[in-house]
Amino acid sequence: MKKLKHFIYIFTLLIGLVPLTQAESVEDPVSYLQNNWAQINYQVPTNEEKIKAFQKLEENAQNLIDKNPERVDLKIWKAIILSSDAGVINGLSSLGMLKQAKNLLLESIEVDANALSGSAYTSLASLYYKAPGWPVSFGSNKKAQTYFAKALEINPAGIDPNYFYGDFLYQQKEYRESQVYLQKALLSQPREGRALADEGRRQEIRAALARVSDKLK
């Protein structure tokens, strides 16, 4: 019975993704990508199921980009979906996805650096500090620091730039500074239409603050 309930839950969740042939007709394509990303990221319980769902969403994102090639925000969201998928895979096979995400974000910044409140800078900074460094991949803490500075200049009170910068500082063992930015992220204003994403992110922030507190004892 427990397995049956689990199957029904996953099936119900995944059919919530608009099919590829219909994705181009959604009324608000960015909200469609945002909401489905949050659903997959925070509610799909296993990595295998997440990978399948993210890959379907990647296809839908590309379909939307093909229909709206001028939309920078759609390219940013495809990059976010790719990097999330790569994070779940977490292996050498994901390096191509990280590079593709990086290139999409760099292209987006060239067109409109302020799109989605500077989200391309936040995502790019996150890629640079999480990706392996040379010769395996393009990871660079120096570039991450540069892009975080730009992200926070555009969106100083945002939940995402403050959370990811706080996590970056934690990885650099700058625990006091990390705590400052994580607390700022926790106090950020709710985003309209992003309740699931905000709640999931706040759970991540609380977990990160707990790790910082342990280091400061």
Side-chain angles (χ1 to χ4, degrees):
M1 181 63 72
K2 189 174 182 180
K3 288 185 178 179
L4 177 60
K5 287 182 178 178
H6 174 75
F7 172 78
I8 292 171
Y9 169 77
I10 295 301
F11 179 74
T12 303
L13 182 61
L14 293 184
I15 62 173
L17 293 171
V18 176
L20 180 60
T21 55
Q22 298 176 26
E24 64 195 61
S25 64
V26 295
E27 190 170 323
D28 185 346
V30 170
S31 291
Y32 163 77
L33 295 176
Q34 289 174 338
N35 293 336
N36 278 281
W37 173 86
Q39 213 175 21
I40 297 165
N41 199 53
Y42 294 117
Q43 293 186 330
V44 173
T46 71
N47 285 348
E48 183 180 0
E49 291 158 339
K50 280 186 177 182
I51 290 167
K52 288 179 181 178
F54 274 136
Q55 289 175 351
K56 182 62 177 178
L57 192 58
E58 286 161 27
E59 293 177 10
N60 287 5
Q62 185 58 52
N63 183 263
L64 290 167
I65 290 169
D66 291 342
K67 297 295 180 181
N68 305 276
E70 77 289 350
R71 294 282 298 269
V72 171
D73 48 4
L74 297 177
K75 292 181 180 179
I76 294 171
W77 263 102
K78 184 180 179 185
I80 292 170
I81 296 160
L82 281 165
S83 58
S84 298
D85 192 6
V88 178
I89 294 172
N90 193 28
L92 292 177
S93 62
S94 68
L95 295 181
M97 298 165 69
L98 294 177
K99 185 176 180 181
Q100 186 182 353
K102 181 193 73 169
N103 290 339
L104 280 168
L105 293 167
L106 289 171
E107 289 171 16
S108 300
I109 286 169
E110 287 182 5
V111 176
D112 184 0
N114 293 309
L116 297 176
S117 302
S119 291
Y121 283 127
T122 300
S123 297
L124 199 54
S126 300
L127 285 178
Y128 271 110
Y129 89 85
K130 291 183 177 181
W134 188 91
V136 177
S137 190
F138 57 84
S140 166
N141 287 338
K142 184 176 180 180
K143 287 187 176 181
Q145 182 73 56
T146 298
Y147 285 122
F148 273 128
K150 292 180 178 179
L152 287 163
E153 181 181 349
I154 294 170
N155 190 15
I159 189 170
D160 285 341
N162 282 288
Y163 164 67
F164 283 110
Y165 189 48
D167 184 62
F168 170 74
L169 291 169
Y170 177 85
Q171 302 301 328
Q172 306 309 302
K173 300 183 179 180
E174 297 180 26
Y175 302 124
R176 291 289 180 191
E177 282 294 294
S178 172
Q179 187 178 54
V180 169
Y181 283 93
L182 289 171
Q183 288 175 337
K184 193 171 183 180
L186 196 60
L187 294 173
S188 64
Q189 293 296 312
R191 296 173 292 185
E192 185 177 356
R194 304 291 309 281
L196 178 57
D198 282 351
E199 180 52 35
R201 185 69 79 211
R202 290 184 198 285
Q203 290 179 11
E204 292 172 333
I205 295 166
R206 293 184 188 102
L209 281 168
R211 291 193 294 271
V212 171
S213 294
D214 286 342
K215 295 294 185 181
L216 292 175
K217 286 180 180 177

